[in-house]
Amino acid sequence: MSITTAAYAVPSPTDPLAPWTFDRRDPNPSDVLIDILFCGVCHSDLHQARDEWGGSTYPMVPGHEIIGTVLAVGSEVTKWSVGQTVGVGVFVDSCRNCENCKAGLEQYCDGGISGTYNGVEQDKVTPTYGGYSTKITVDQNYVVSIPEGIPLEGAAPLLCAGITTYSPLMHWKVGPDTRVAVVGLGGLGHMGVKFAKALGASVTVISHSPGKKEDSARLGADDFIATNDPDAFKNNAKRFDFILNTISADHEYNDYLGLLALDGVMCLVGLPNPTTVAAFPLVGRRRSLAGSMIGGIAETQEMLNFCAEKGISSDVEVIEMSYINEAYERMLKSDVRYRFVIDLASLKS
Ligand code: NAP
Ligand code: ZN
Ligand code: ZN
């Protein structure tokens, strides 16, 4: 038997999302079946739906910022019980045996993670389908608990935008002595600002949208740099210890590297097309260019607990499932404050 599931899917890179129905597997002994309540809309959904990274498979059901309620559990499930509020993020399985998996860094699994969508199960054959759907069946080890106190719609984006910004800030030990710049105030960027502030850093937003200045202050940033000012890069040269670069579109990394102080690090989390990196901006101040991908399951739970403790959640615009194609167009125009979140009730009625 299998579970009939309503969804929105992309049939090809050039088509819009449209209603689709498919079957989820019945829970295996170590699986939980989740009734999806909310799913965030990540820019990675759009990149993959339109095959901007190559290798996309169709039909694709995007969505990897999933919040839901446990509907059923397999016979060997010990971690979860029916009725609990849980989350599922960017991956739903990994090899579990490599050094990275054993270290809780499943996102860097040597055998390859099973992406929540546009991926395959560990059998490397069965396609995975994401959270723009009413239900999902997931192994219990790839599920996290949503602490009480976080509004559920504001919790959904934590499963990708939250952990993707929290993890590098922790890895590079951002704290009260760190001068941080968050580049790009979108879904990831606004979470980066909240986390960096909560960690005590001084935070500057660098944005190509001058109209986001007031929001940037409201979110906690100490300063705002609009990149449409022709002197922005010159006037702020050598100013930051750590830059979290969340820009989704093609841009000149070398300009931003010049904003780093001695030994500064620019960590890329945004995933635009390949571009040229020059040696001189790195060499001149012993700067580093780095990258970071989401976070492991244990760190995701740590981040959620941190959010509950500090009263952090995402600023969201809740939408109906049928609004998704407009939401994509608005996201491309950087016109979202600051994450679209789909209310899956709109697909159940
Ligand atoms: P988003 O909400 O669309 O935000 C991206 C931001 O980038 C925009 O709000 C905008 O900020 C800035 N931007 C957009 N176009 C720009 C341009 N032409 N020039 C300069 N800045 C521009 O996207 P998101 O969901 O935060 O995702 C951001 C990127 O991270 C995507 O590429 C996504 O695939 C990637 N991602 C990576 C990981 C990972 O594990 N590394 C995880 C999730 C997402 P301003 O308006 O403030 O300029
Ligand atoms: Zn994402
Ligand atoms: Zn592994």
Side-chain angles (χ1 to χ4, degrees):
M1 228 180 75
S2 52
I3 300 147
T4 305
T5 303
Y8 261 50
V10 207
S12 87
T14 50
D15 281 313
L17 285 126
W20 190 55
T21 302
F22 68 105
D23 289 335
R24 293 284 189 195
R25 67 174 184 266
D26 263 338
N28 290 324
S30 69
D31 282 341
V32 297
L33 172 65
I34 298 166
D35 177 46
I36 302 179
L37 299 173
F38 295 104
C39 184
V41 179
C42 178
H43 206 113
S44 300
D45 300 351
L46 192 156
H47 286 310
Q48 292 177 87
R50 299 186 179 179
D51 200 17
E52 291 174 355
W53 298 338
S56 285
T57 54
Y58 302 89
M60 183 193 303
V61 178
H64 57 205
E65 294 184 335
I66 298 168
I67 296 287
T69 310
V70 176
L71 268 185
V73 296
S75 56
E76 290 166 14
V77 169
T78 51
K79 295 186 171 178
W80 313 106
S81 47
V82 171
Q84 243 178 313
T85 305
V86 293
V88 177
V90 177
F91 56 98
V92 288
D93 211 347
S94 63
C95 87
R96 308 177 196 209
N97 288 318
C98 72
E99 290 308 313
N100 292 339
C101 279
K102 285 187 201 152
L105 296 167
E106 301 94 340
Q107 74 273 32
Y108 304 120
C109 173
D110 287 334
I113 49 173
S114 293
T116 302
Y117 68 86
N118 192 30
V120 283
E121 307 283 357
Q122 288 297 298
D123 64 8
K124 307 296 177 199
V125 178
T126 312
T128 54
Y129 298 116
Y132 298 4
S133 63
T134 50
K135 294 187 188 77
I136 189 167
T137 313
V138 183
D139 182 278
Q140 64 167 336
N141 294 304
Y142 297 82
V143 172
V144 288
S145 166
I146 306 304
E148 274 185 31
I150 309 179
L152 295 187
E153 57 273 41
L158 302 177
L159 276 311
C160 176
I163 185 59
T164 301
T165 49
Y166 179 85
S167 186
L169 294 173
M170 299 308 282
H171 180 76
W172 276 279
K173 301 187 169 36
V174 164
D177 296 331
T178 322
R179 294 164 296 173
V180 172
V182 175
V183 185
L185 195 62
L188 267 57
H190 92 291
M191 290 312 307
V193 171
K194 291 187 185 204
F195 286 135
K197 273 318 284 181
L199 293 167
S202 78
V203 181
T204 298
V205 167
I206 304 180
S207 170
H208 87 312
S209 307
K212 291 182 181 173
K213 184 173 180 177
E214 279 169 24
D215 277 359
S216 154
R218 180 180 56 75
L219 292 164
D222 304 287
D223 200 1
F224 182 87
I225 298 170
T227 53
N228 66 342
D229 172 355
D231 293 329
F233 289 97
K234 191 173 62 154
N235 290 346
N236 293 285
K238 306 190 273 288
R239 187 176 155 186
F240 301 106
D241 304 306
F242 186 80
I243 296 178
L244 186 66
N245 185 336
T246 78
I247 298 179
S248 53
D250 300 350
H251 63 289
E252 186 64 62
Y253 290 157
N254 302 308
D255 291 344
Y256 292 89
L257 287 170
L259 303 178
L260 288 171
L262 181 70
D263 290 332
V265 175
M266 177 157 85
C267 177
L268 306 178
V269 287
L271 292 162
N273 290 313
T275 185
T276 306
V277 176
F280 273 99
L282 290 169
V283 167
R285 287 281 182 295
R286 202 164 56 193
R287 296 165 172 133
S288 301
L289 178 63
S292 183
M293 191 171 86
I294 41 176
I297 296 295
E299 194 177 34
T300 303
Q301 190 64 62
E302 175 191 305
M303 176 273 309
L304 288 163
N305 297 346
F306 180 83
C307 286
E309 186 191 317
K310 303 280 185 187
I312 293 174
S313 63
S314 178
D315 290 23
V316 301
E317 179 174 336
V318 177
I319 59 170
E320 298 203 344
M321 187 70 256
S322 58
Y323 187 73
I324 190 66
N325 292 306
E326 281 108 310
Y328 275 19
E329 292 315 310
R330 282 183 52 196
M331 186 159 62
L332 272 179
K333 290 188 223 141
S334 305
D335 175 24
V336 44
R337 303 205 175 189
Y338 279 89
R339 196 57 136 192
F340 290 115
V341 171
I342 304 158
D343 181 350
L344 269 311
S346 61
L347 198 55
K348 293 172 190 166
S349 46

